[in-house]
Amino acid sequence: MKPTMKLCLLPLFLFCFLSSSSSHPHPFDPLTPSELSTIRSIITSSHLNVSSSLSFHYVGLDDPDKSTILSWSSSSPLPPRRAFAILRADRQTHELIIDITKASIISHHIYPGPAYPSFNNEEEAQAGLLPMKYKPFLESVRKRGAKIEDVVCTSYARGWFGEEKQNRRRAAVLCFVAGETANLYARPIEGVTITVDLDDMEIVEYRDRVVLSVPAAEGTEYMAARQRSPFGPRGNRVVVVQPEGKGFNIHGHMIRWANWDFHLAFDLRAGAVISLASINDTSTTMAGRKSVLYRGFVSELFIPYMDPCEEWYFKTYMDAGEYGFGLLASPLEPTVDCPPNAEFMDGYYAAQNGETLHISNVFCIFERYAGDPSWRHTETLLPGEIITESREEVSLVVRMVSTVGNYDYMIDWEFKTTGTIKVSAGLTGILALKASTHTHTNQIKSDEHGELVGRNTIAVYHDHFITFHLDLDVAGPANSFVKAHLKTVRSNSAHPTPRKSYWTVVRETAKTEADARILLGSTVSELLIVNNGVRTALGNAAGYRLVGSNAAATSLLSDDDYPQIRAAYTKKQLWVTPYNRAEKWAAGLYADQSRGDDNLAQWSMRNRSIENTDIVLWYTVGFHHIPSQEDFPLMPMLTGGFELRPFNFFERNPLINTEPFNKVLSAQSSTQTSKMAQV
């Protein structure tokens, strides 16, 4: 068999894309409003509804087995539609598998702890109201010269700090002063610690340790309507137009653009989920679809702050597992968050009482062109002519924004015709700010754990670690992880030239999980995911290369620090594990008050084989954030990310035979002129 003939052995699922124009639903489609309503009816009709404390914390698709998805085609009936639900009732956590079609509960398990499910919006809001009628808090507000009607409170996760037994589902409540400015986070009520039991919905701990004045509202406003001249700099308006219309098609949740097909779905915890991304390979006579990414999504966000004082030490958040990255997704504003050529998708989820709620414009999809070339070359050596050839860099972007308290996270999945998938994580919003007595840096005599960014305002040092789950199926599921080390070699006498050294590539295939834990920068390496069973005509294994960015920070916390135990995987940027349907969330299924006994680092300690098998990459985009005055009162976008780039995946550059736009437009113009002449 010729090497390129092996393409015909790819899984059957690749061919389902050929009929993506059909409205036939897909097994990975998120739960519809009708299905969510059915799930609520099934649960509220069960014995669980006897409890007055029944509350919904997660309802999502119970993923079909991977083998089922890979063998499914659009002409086949859907596999059974099942949902996975996490509920709280009578101070217990309930896990349910629900058969939606048969309207029945097929599995019910009580999770004993010690961790807890994510918060829901309704209980966070309810907890935020508790201090408003709590006399000690009213006195604390009075002592700071604030008005209680201007105070806004909300709840935050408290984490775990070595407690042997913890049978309370606790949360911290933090309060701020609004009124004179929309920027309430710039005016914290400092020195107060409030702890709430979320099951009993009552304040169980209260302490006012130190009274600090609330920072002034002056200079904190960011709303355009409240700004006054002189205004800041800006260029002239840039308009995005597509005179020939959009170049992509959306059918249900399947998206087809250029040489790409993929599925896009909404999940309450992950937000955007990209599935079954495949590319049409026209670089060979054996053209056809080749799989790239089975599933990709944000698995966890770990944000530890660096102030160890009583009111701050617990601020070490896991934004996906404790709050829900999808739950806190913001409706995207057309022409503001996304360009005018964008299309939008909505999201649906179950509220605390199980009723279906709607997030409009949760995703936007658009083509991006900034005038850049994807490749170019000018040739001047040919006698009597100068040749310049280039191709435009047009890409397709899927975007979502999640507002987790003070921070806004923008996640872009960008698909390029070169076969590259570029993933970007952008941070903006408002810093976590601490009231202070300082008005000038020369007053700071010791470590303040942050930077003075405004009068009486310290922006606390912190990290952002955004971990992605990347189930790559490069030309099929059987993949290996290869480290291509760059090694310096001394020249020898066999080559009698003045050169004394050169570098070469030494490839090492990771056999087990331990071989694939990577601290980027420790060695110079190319990181590859290859399929040894699919090769080019030249014999190279089809592969993809992981290319990191400058946002590659790792955690600096000590290994025995409790937040680090919970997020042990942030000590390295890259982990590789064998595919396991249950291993989706880097911090574990239950992140609130977790103890680090169910997370990526723990799973990987089994040191399973990862060679020539179905593997998952876990990549962390990391930032150490030292705030500056330019980050105040609202922070400009800070972006990092990574790329998945083809590596011997194609026989050649797949864009060589792509016609440039100017040639296409010229041909269209000539055709139109000819028709007008005939008329």
PDB file of all heavy atoms in Angstrom, residues 476-507:
ATOM      1  N   GLY A 476      -6.771  11.199  12.378  1.00  0.00           N
ATOM      2  CA  GLY A 476      -7.299  10.029  13.060  1.00  0.00           C
ATOM      3  C   GLY A 476      -6.882  10.021  14.516  1.00  0.00           C
ATOM      4  O   GLY A 476      -6.012  10.791  14.942  1.00  0.00           O
ATOM      5  N   PRO A 477      -7.483   9.134  15.329  1.00  0.00           N
ATOM      6  CA  PRO A 477      -7.243   9.176  16.777  1.00  0.00           C
ATOM      7  C   PRO A 477      -5.888   8.647  17.239  1.00  0.00           C
ATOM      8  O   PRO A 477      -5.431   9.024  18.317  1.00  0.00           O
ATOM      9  CB  PRO A 477      -8.373   8.290  17.337  1.00  0.00           C
ATOM     10  CG  PRO A 477      -9.365   8.138  16.225  1.00  0.00           C
ATOM     11  CD  PRO A 477      -8.570   8.224  14.972  1.00  0.00           C
ATOM     12  N   ALA A 478      -5.241   7.771  16.484  1.00  0.00           N
ATOM     13  CA  ALA A 478      -4.004   7.141  16.955  1.00  0.00           C
ATOM     14  C   ALA A 478      -2.834   8.102  16.773  1.00  0.00           C
ATOM     15  O   ALA A 478      -2.247   8.191  15.693  1.00  0.00           O
ATOM     16  CB  ALA A 478      -3.754   5.840  16.200  1.00  0.00           C
ATOM     17  N   ASN A 479      -2.490   8.821  17.809  1.00  0.00           N
ATOM     18  CA  ASN A 479      -1.457   9.853  17.745  1.00  0.00           C
ATOM     19  C   ASN A 479      -0.346   9.585  18.748  1.00  0.00           C
ATOM     20  O   ASN A 479      -0.510   8.811  19.701  1.00  0.00           O
ATOM     21  CB  ASN A 479      -2.044  11.229  18.009  1.00  0.00           C
ATOM     22  CG  ASN A 479      -2.963  11.743  16.908  1.00  0.00           C
ATOM     23  OD1 ASN A 479      -3.584  12.776  17.051  1.00  0.00           O
ATOM     24  ND2 ASN A 479      -3.064  11.029  15.798  1.00  0.00           N
ATOM     25  N   SER A 480       0.778  10.249  18.529  1.00  0.00           N
ATOM     26  CA  SER A 480       1.904  10.223  19.469  1.00  0.00           C
ATOM     27  C   SER A 480       2.388  11.647  19.688  1.00  0.00           C
ATOM     28  O   SER A 480       2.206  12.522  18.832  1.00  0.00           O
ATOM     29  CB  SER A 480       3.053   9.357  18.936  1.00  0.00           C
ATOM     30  OG  SER A 480       2.678   7.999  18.823  1.00  0.00           O
ATOM     31  N   PHE A 481       3.045  11.862  20.819  1.00  0.00           N
ATOM     32  CA  PHE A 481       3.609  13.170  21.150  1.00  0.00           C
ATOM     33  C   PHE A 481       5.121  13.089  21.002  1.00  0.00           C
ATOM     34  O   PHE A 481       5.769  12.240  21.619  1.00  0.00           O
ATOM     35  CB  PHE A 481       3.221  13.565  22.573  1.00  0.00           C
ATOM     36  CG  PHE A 481       3.772  14.892  23.004  1.00  0.00           C
ATOM     37  CD1 PHE A 481       3.330  16.061  22.417  1.00  0.00           C
ATOM     38  CD2 PHE A 481       4.726  14.974  24.003  1.00  0.00           C
ATOM     39  CE1 PHE A 481       3.836  17.290  22.811  1.00  0.00           C
ATOM     40  CE2 PHE A 481       5.233  16.187  24.408  1.00  0.00           C
ATOM     41  CZ  PHE A 481       4.785  17.357  23.804  1.00  0.00           C
ATOM     42  N   VAL A 482       5.658  13.980  20.172  1.00  0.00           N
ATOM     43  CA  VAL A 482       7.087  13.944  19.854  1.00  0.00           C
ATOM     44  C   VAL A 482       7.735  15.259  20.264  1.00  0.00           C
ATOM     45  O   VAL A 482       7.240  16.339  19.930  1.00  0.00           O
ATOM     46  CB  VAL A 482       7.314  13.696  18.344  1.00  0.00           C
ATOM     47  CG1 VAL A 482       8.796  13.756  18.006  1.00  0.00           C
ATOM     48  CG2 VAL A 482       6.730  12.345  17.939  1.00  0.00           C
ATOM     49  N   LYS A 483       8.846  15.152  20.986  1.00  0.00           N
ATOM     50  CA  LYS A 483       9.662  16.313  21.326  1.00  0.00           C
ATOM     51  C   LYS A 483      10.860  16.336  20.390  1.00  0.00           C
ATOM     52  O   LYS A 483      11.702  15.439  20.430  1.00  0.00           O
ATOM     53  CB  LYS A 483      10.110  16.231  22.786  1.00  0.00           C
ATOM     54  CG  LYS A 483       8.972  16.297  23.791  1.00  0.00           C
ATOM     55  CD  LYS A 483       9.447  16.090  25.213  1.00  0.00           C
ATOM     56  CE  LYS A 483       9.751  14.636  25.495  1.00  0.00           C
ATOM     57  NZ  LYS A 483      10.069  14.390  26.936  1.00  0.00           N
ATOM     58  N   ALA A 484      10.900  17.348  19.545  1.00  0.00           N
ATOM     59  CA  ALA A 484      12.016  17.488  18.604  1.00  0.00           C
ATOM     60  C   ALA A 484      13.008  18.481  19.203  1.00  0.00           C
ATOM     61  O   ALA A 484      12.861  19.691  19.074  1.00  0.00           O
ATOM     62  CB  ALA A 484      11.510  17.960  17.249  1.00  0.00           C
ATOM     63  N   HIS A 485      14.016  17.957  19.884  1.00  0.00           N
ATOM     64  CA  HIS A 485      14.995  18.796  20.577  1.00  0.00           C
ATOM     65  C   HIS A 485      16.017  19.352  19.590  1.00  0.00           C
ATOM     66  O   HIS A 485      16.504  18.636  18.711  1.00  0.00           O
ATOM     67  CB  HIS A 485      15.730  17.997  21.650  1.00  0.00           C
ATOM     68  CG  HIS A 485      14.837  17.417  22.695  1.00  0.00           C
ATOM     69  ND1 HIS A 485      14.086  18.182  23.537  1.00  0.00           N
ATOM     70  CD2 HIS A 485      14.578  16.119  23.021  1.00  0.00           C
ATOM     71  CE1 HIS A 485      13.402  17.401  24.355  1.00  0.00           C
ATOM     72  NE2 HIS A 485      13.678  16.144  24.060  1.00  0.00           N
ATOM     73  N   LEU A 486      16.362  20.614  19.765  1.00  0.00           N
ATOM     74  CA  LEU A 486      17.430  21.233  18.984  1.00  0.00           C
ATOM     75  C   LEU A 486      18.730  21.096  19.774  1.00  0.00           C
ATOM     76  O   LEU A 486      18.845  21.605  20.892  1.00  0.00           O
ATOM     77  CB  LEU A 486      17.114  22.701  18.697  1.00  0.00           C
ATOM     78  CG  LEU A 486      16.236  22.986  17.474  1.00  0.00           C
ATOM     79  CD1 LEU A 486      14.860  22.353  17.622  1.00  0.00           C
ATOM     80  CD2 LEU A 486      16.082  24.481  17.255  1.00  0.00           C
ATOM     81  N   LYS A 487      19.676  20.400  19.192  1.00  0.00           N
ATOM     82  CA  LYS A 487      20.921  20.068  19.887  1.00  0.00           C
ATOM     83  C   LYS A 487      22.114  20.707  19.186  1.00  0.00           C
ATOM     84  O   LYS A 487      22.262  20.607  17.962  1.00  0.00           O
ATOM     85  CB  LYS A 487      21.105  18.551  19.935  1.00  0.00           C
ATOM     86  CG  LYS A 487      22.374  18.095  20.639  1.00  0.00           C
ATOM     87  CD  LYS A 487      22.506  16.575  20.587  1.00  0.00           C
ATOM     88  CE  LYS A 487      23.796  16.114  21.250  1.00  0.00           C
ATOM     89  NZ  LYS A 487      23.943  14.628  21.169  1.00  0.00           N
ATOM     90  N   THR A 488      22.958  21.379  19.963  1.00  0.00           N
ATOM     91  CA  THR A 488      24.180  21.957  19.418  1.00  0.00           C
ATOM     92  C   THR A 488      25.234  20.865  19.243  1.00  0.00           C
ATOM     93  O   THR A 488      25.474  20.060  20.152  1.00  0.00           O
ATOM     94  CB  THR A 488      24.723  23.055  20.352  1.00  0.00           C
ATOM     95  OG1 THR A 488      23.727  24.068  20.493  1.00  0.00           O
ATOM     96  CG2 THR A 488      25.992  23.669  19.789  1.00  0.00           C
ATOM     97  N   VAL A 489      25.846  20.841  18.054  1.00  0.00           N
ATOM     98  CA  VAL A 489      26.851  19.819  17.736  1.00  0.00           C
ATOM     99  C   VAL A 489      28.123  20.519  17.274  1.00  0.00           C
ATOM    100  O   VAL A 489      28.069  21.477  16.494  1.00  0.00           O
ATOM    101  CB  VAL A 489      26.339  18.868  16.639  1.00  0.00           C
ATOM    102  CG1 VAL A 489      27.394  17.816  16.311  1.00  0.00           C
ATOM    103  CG2 VAL A 489      25.035  18.217  17.060  1.00  0.00           C
ATOM    104  N   ARG A 490      29.274  20.054  17.740  1.00  0.00           N
ATOM    105  CA  ARG A 490      30.563  20.579  17.297  1.00  0.00           C
ATOM    106  C   ARG A 490      30.919  19.971  15.941  1.00  0.00           C
ATOM    107  O   ARG A 490      30.735  18.767  15.714  1.00  0.00           O
ATOM    108  CB  ARG A 490      31.653  20.250  18.301  1.00  0.00           C
ATOM    109  CG  ARG A 490      31.465  20.897  19.664  1.00  0.00           C
ATOM    110  CD  ARG A 490      31.777  22.377  19.642  1.00  0.00           C
ATOM    111  NE  ARG A 490      33.192  22.641  19.357  1.00  0.00           N
ATOM    112  CZ  ARG A 490      33.706  23.864  19.280  1.00  0.00           C
ATOM    113  NH1 ARG A 490      32.906  24.927  19.461  1.00  0.00           N
ATOM    114  NH2 ARG A 490      34.986  24.039  19.029  1.00  0.00           N
ATOM    115  N   SER A 491      31.402  20.792  15.037  1.00  0.00           N
ATOM    116  CA  SER A 491      31.853  20.289  13.744  1.00  0.00           C
ATOM    117  C   SER A 491      33.057  19.379  13.941  1.00  0.00           C
ATOM    118  O   SER A 491      33.856  19.566  14.858  1.00  0.00           O
ATOM    119  CB  SER A 491      32.240  21.450  12.829  1.00  0.00           C
ATOM    120  OG  SER A 491      31.129  22.297  12.608  1.00  0.00           O
ATOM    121  N   ASN A 492      33.183  18.372  13.044  1.00  0.00           N
ATOM    122  CA  ASN A 492      34.326  17.465  13.167  1.00  0.00           C
ATOM    123  C   ASN A 492      35.184  17.541  11.914  1.00  0.00           C
ATOM    124  O   ASN A 492      34.881  18.236  10.952  1.00  0.00           O
ATOM    125  CB  ASN A 492      33.850  16.027  13.423  1.00  0.00           C
ATOM    126  CG  ASN A 492      32.873  15.559  12.344  1.00  0.00           C
ATOM    127  OD1 ASN A 492      33.105  15.794  11.161  1.00  0.00           O
ATOM    128  ND2 ASN A 492      31.796  14.900  12.756  1.00  0.00           N
ATOM    129  N   SER A 493      36.259  16.791  11.927  1.00  0.00           N
ATOM    130  CA  SER A 493      37.241  16.870  10.841  1.00  0.00           C
ATOM    131  C   SER A 493      36.706  16.338   9.520  1.00  0.00           C
ATOM    132  O   SER A 493      37.321  16.538   8.474  1.00  0.00           O
ATOM    133  CB  SER A 493      38.501  16.096  11.237  1.00  0.00           C
ATOM    134  OG  SER A 493      38.166  14.745  11.550  1.00  0.00           O
ATOM    135  N   ALA A 494      35.588  15.637   9.535  1.00  0.00           N
ATOM    136  CA  ALA A 494      35.018  15.125   8.284  1.00  0.00           C
ATOM    137  C   ALA A 494      34.537  16.252   7.392  1.00  0.00           C
ATOM    138  O   ALA A 494      34.340  16.065   6.189  1.00  0.00           O
ATOM    139  CB  ALA A 494      33.872  14.167   8.595  1.00  0.00           C
ATOM    140  N   HIS A 495      34.324  17.416   7.987  1.00  0.00           N
ATOM    141  CA  HIS A 495      33.895  18.586   7.226  1.00  0.00           C
ATOM    142  C   HIS A 495      34.905  19.704   7.480  1.00  0.00           C
ATOM    143  O   HIS A 495      34.714  20.555   8.350  1.00  0.00           O
ATOM    144  CB  HIS A 495      32.484  19.016   7.652  1.00  0.00           C
ATOM    145  CG  HIS A 495      31.465  17.935   7.494  1.00  0.00           C
ATOM    146  ND1 HIS A 495      30.921  17.598   6.280  1.00  0.00           N
ATOM    147  CD2 HIS A 495      30.900  17.098   8.409  1.00  0.00           C
ATOM    148  CE1 HIS A 495      30.059  16.612   6.440  1.00  0.00           C
ATOM    149  NE2 HIS A 495      30.033  16.284   7.721  1.00  0.00           N
ATOM    150  N   PRO A 496      35.986  19.733   6.731  1.00  0.00           N
ATOM    151  CA  PRO A 496      37.066  20.713   6.997  1.00  0.00           C
ATOM    152  C   PRO A 496      36.698  22.116   6.516  1.00  0.00           C
ATOM    153  O   PRO A 496      37.103  22.549   5.440  1.00  0.00           O
ATOM    154  CB  PRO A 496      38.242  20.129   6.206  1.00  0.00           C
ATOM    155  CG  PRO A 496      37.592  19.367   5.083  1.00  0.00           C
ATOM    156  CD  PRO A 496      36.309  18.823   5.630  1.00  0.00           C
ATOM    157  N   THR A 497      35.862  22.798   7.296  1.00  0.00           N
ATOM    158  CA  THR A 497      35.488  24.187   7.013  1.00  0.00           C
ATOM    159  C   THR A 497      35.719  24.997   8.277  1.00  0.00           C
ATOM    160  O   THR A 497      35.949  24.435   9.361  1.00  0.00           O
ATOM    161  CB  THR A 497      33.995  24.297   6.621  1.00  0.00           C
ATOM    162  OG1 THR A 497      33.193  24.068   7.776  1.00  0.00           O
ATOM    163  CG2 THR A 497      33.633  23.314   5.531  1.00  0.00           C
ATOM    164  N   PRO A 498      35.676  26.322   8.170  1.00  0.00           N
ATOM    165  CA  PRO A 498      35.871  27.157   9.372  1.00  0.00           C
ATOM    166  C   PRO A 498      34.752  27.051  10.401  1.00  0.00           C
ATOM    167  O   PRO A 498      34.925  27.531  11.527  1.00  0.00           O
ATOM    168  CB  PRO A 498      35.943  28.578   8.786  1.00  0.00           C
ATOM    169  CG  PRO A 498      36.334  28.403   7.361  1.00  0.00           C
ATOM    170  CD  PRO A 498      35.700  27.120   6.934  1.00  0.00           C
ATOM    171  N   ARG A 499      33.616  26.452  10.033  1.00  0.00           N
ATOM    172  CA  ARG A 499      32.521  26.325  11.008  1.00  0.00           C
ATOM    173  C   ARG A 499      32.916  25.436  12.172  1.00  0.00           C
ATOM    174  O   ARG A 499      33.513  24.379  11.999  1.00  0.00           O
ATOM    175  CB  ARG A 499      31.275  25.747  10.330  1.00  0.00           C
ATOM    176  CG  ARG A 499      30.491  26.756   9.503  1.00  0.00           C
ATOM    177  CD  ARG A 499      29.770  27.762  10.388  1.00  0.00           C
ATOM    178  NE  ARG A 499      28.793  27.129  11.234  1.00  0.00           N
ATOM    179  CZ  ARG A 499      27.532  26.857  10.854  1.00  0.00           C
ATOM    180  NH1 ARG A 499      27.136  27.163   9.628  1.00  0.00           N
ATOM    181  NH2 ARG A 499      26.700  26.299  11.681  1.00  0.00           N
ATOM    182  N   LYS A 500      32.559  25.858  13.386  1.00  0.00           N
ATOM    183  CA  LYS A 500      32.882  25.084  14.576  1.00  0.00           C
ATOM    184  C   LYS A 500      31.667  24.396  15.192  1.00  0.00           C
ATOM    185  O   LYS A 500      31.806  23.517  16.033  1.00  0.00           O
ATOM    186  CB  LYS A 500      33.540  25.979  15.629  1.00  0.00           C
ATOM    187  CG  LYS A 500      34.900  26.544  15.197  1.00  0.00           C
ATOM    188  CD  LYS A 500      35.532  27.336  16.307  1.00  0.00           C
ATOM    189  CE  LYS A 500      36.881  27.889  15.870  1.00  0.00           C
ATOM    190  NZ  LYS A 500      37.829  26.805  15.556  1.00  0.00           N
ATOM    191  N   SER A 501      30.452  24.829  14.813  1.00  0.00           N
ATOM    192  CA  SER A 501      29.265  24.228  15.424  1.00  0.00           C
ATOM    193  C   SER A 501      28.057  24.411  14.522  1.00  0.00           C
ATOM    194  O   SER A 501      28.047  25.229  13.602  1.00  0.00           O
ATOM    195  CB  SER A 501      28.988  24.856  16.792  1.00  0.00           C
ATOM    196  OG  SER A 501      28.615  26.217  16.644  1.00  0.00           O
ATOM    197  N   TYR A 502      27.047  23.624  14.805  1.00  0.00           N
ATOM    198  CA  TYR A 502      25.746  23.739  14.141  1.00  0.00           C
ATOM    199  C   TYR A 502      24.719  23.104  15.071  1.00  0.00           C
ATOM    200  O   TYR A 502      25.071  22.512  16.098  1.00  0.00           O
ATOM    201  CB  TYR A 502      25.752  23.049  12.770  1.00  0.00           C
ATOM    202  CG  TYR A 502      26.068  21.566  12.817  1.00  0.00           C
ATOM    203  CD1 TYR A 502      25.051  20.614  12.869  1.00  0.00           C
ATOM    204  CD2 TYR A 502      27.390  21.119  12.810  1.00  0.00           C
ATOM    205  CE1 TYR A 502      25.341  19.265  12.917  1.00  0.00           C
ATOM    206  CE2 TYR A 502      27.694  19.771  12.857  1.00  0.00           C
ATOM    207  CZ  TYR A 502      26.660  18.841  12.902  1.00  0.00           C
ATOM    208  OH  TYR A 502      26.947  17.500  12.954  1.00  0.00           O
ATOM    209  N   TRP A 503      23.453  23.243  14.746  1.00  0.00           N
ATOM    210  CA  TRP A 503      22.458  22.520  15.535  1.00  0.00           C
ATOM    211  C   TRP A 503      21.713  21.532  14.652  1.00  0.00           C
ATOM    212  O   TRP A 503      21.573  21.729  13.446  1.00  0.00           O
ATOM    213  CB  TRP A 503      21.488  23.443  16.273  1.00  0.00           C
ATOM    214  CG  TRP A 503      20.593  24.338  15.443  1.00  0.00           C
ATOM    215  CD1 TRP A 503      20.778  25.658  15.201  1.00  0.00           C
ATOM    216  CD2 TRP A 503      19.364  23.977  14.783  1.00  0.00           C
ATOM    217  NE1 TRP A 503      19.754  26.158  14.416  1.00  0.00           N
ATOM    218  CE2 TRP A 503      18.871  25.138  14.151  1.00  0.00           C
ATOM    219  CE3 TRP A 503      18.634  22.801  14.664  1.00  0.00           C
ATOM    220  CZ2 TRP A 503      17.688  25.156  13.408  1.00  0.00           C
ATOM    221  CZ3 TRP A 503      17.455  22.809  13.929  1.00  0.00           C
ATOM    222  CH2 TRP A 503      16.991  23.969  13.307  1.00  0.00           C
ATOM    223  N   THR A 504      21.252  20.472  15.264  1.00  0.00           N
ATOM    224  CA  THR A 504      20.477  19.466  14.564  1.00  0.00           C
ATOM    225  C   THR A 504      19.280  19.081  15.421  1.00  0.00           C
ATOM    226  O   THR A 504      19.133  19.573  16.553  1.00  0.00           O
ATOM    227  CB  THR A 504      21.336  18.232  14.233  1.00  0.00           C
ATOM    228  OG1 THR A 504      20.603  17.368  13.357  1.00  0.00           O
ATOM    229  CG2 THR A 504      21.708  17.464  15.504  1.00  0.00           C
ATOM    230  N   VAL A 505      18.429  18.231  14.895  1.00  0.00           N
ATOM    231  CA  VAL A 505      17.193  17.853  15.586  1.00  0.00           C
ATOM    232  C   VAL A 505      17.301  16.415  16.067  1.00  0.00           C
ATOM    233  O   VAL A 505      17.637  15.504  15.294  1.00  0.00           O
ATOM    234  CB  VAL A 505      15.969  18.009  14.654  1.00  0.00           C
ATOM    235  CG1 VAL A 505      14.702  17.540  15.362  1.00  0.00           C
ATOM    236  CG2 VAL A 505      15.831  19.456  14.209  1.00  0.00           C
ATOM    237  N   VAL A 506      17.012  16.217  17.343  1.00  0.00           N
ATOM    238  CA  VAL A 506      16.965  14.882  17.936  1.00  0.00           C
ATOM    239  C   VAL A 506      15.531  14.656  18.418  1.00  0.00           C
ATOM    240  O   VAL A 506      15.057  15.349  19.321  1.00  0.00           O
ATOM    241  CB  VAL A 506      17.949  14.744  19.107  1.00  0.00           C
ATOM    242  CG1 VAL A 506      17.844  13.352  19.716  1.00  0.00           C
ATOM    243  CG2 VAL A 506      19.366  15.040  18.651  1.00  0.00           C
ATOM    244  N   ARG A 507      14.845  13.712  17.798  1.00  0.00           N
ATOM    245  CA  ARG A 507      13.431  13.475  18.118  1.00  0.00           C
ATOM    246  C   ARG A 507      13.272  12.413  19.193  1.00  0.00           C
ATOM    247  O   ARG A 507      13.948  11.393  19.182  1.00  0.00           O
ATOM    248  CB  ARG A 507      12.653  13.082  16.865  1.00  0.00           C
ATOM    249  CG  ARG A 507      12.462  14.248  15.898  1.00  0.00           C
ATOM    250  CD  ARG A 507      11.698  13.827  14.640  1.00  0.00           C
ATOM    251  NE  ARG A 507      11.321  14.998  13.870  1.00  0.00           N
ATOM    252  CZ  ARG A 507      12.102  15.608  12.998  1.00  0.00           C
ATOM    253  NH1 ARG A 507      13.330  15.152  12.797  1.00  0.00           N
ATOM    254  NH2 ARG A 507      11.685  16.665  12.331  1.00  0.00           N
TER     255      ARG A 507
END
